[in-house]
Amino acid sequence: MIRATIFAAALLVSAGSAFADEAIVGNWKTEAGDTAAITPCADSYCVTLKTGKYAGRQIGKMQGKGGSYTGELTDPSEDKTYSGSGAISGNSLKMTGCVLKIFCKSQTWKRL
């Protein structure tokens, strides 16, 4: 019984560290100058603004690995959600939101 508990705990720790090892996890400076935190949440990565007018608001949820992510992004000023993607290149994160995969806007965030 004790072995099973230790094994289960080890699996949980290793699953958590797999998320922590992803490049998207961390604090990012948006183009507007706000700070966004990207953290593991369930089987995704949640994007939450930490500073600025919309501080505390979750503005995205992404899935993926290896520097390439997809999901949804919300423009907090318009309260509209778009299909989104994120791509890591060094200390930069290019976030793109699209309507119908035709009309897209991108921002490049810098790692803090």
Side-chain angles (χ1 to χ4, degrees), residues 38-94:
I38 301 179
T39 57
C41 59
D43 63 344
S44 302
Y45 300 99
C46 289
V47 184
T48 305
L49 290 174
K50 294 297 183 185
T51 63
K53 182 176 180 179
Y54 302 100
R57 184 151 181 209
Q58 182 177 318
I59 60 165
K61 198 168 196 178
M62 311 287 275
Q63 293 181 325
K65 61 182 180 177
S68 181
Y69 308 90
T70 58
E72 293 183 338
L73 296 170
T74 300
D75 179 346
S77 65
E78 297 180 5
D79 198 30
K80 292 186 180 179
T81 300
Y82 303 96
S83 139
S85 64
I88 303 284
S89 177
N91 285 324
S92 296
L93 170 59
K94 183 176 182 181

Side-chain angles (χ1 to χ4, degrees), residues 93-109:
L93 170 59
K94 183 176 182 181
M95 297 292 269
T96 303
C98 299
V99 175
L100 302 173
K101 296 187 179 184
I102 298 172
F103 304 105
C104 301
K105 281 189 175 182
S106 295
Q107 289 188 2
T108 301
W109 297 358

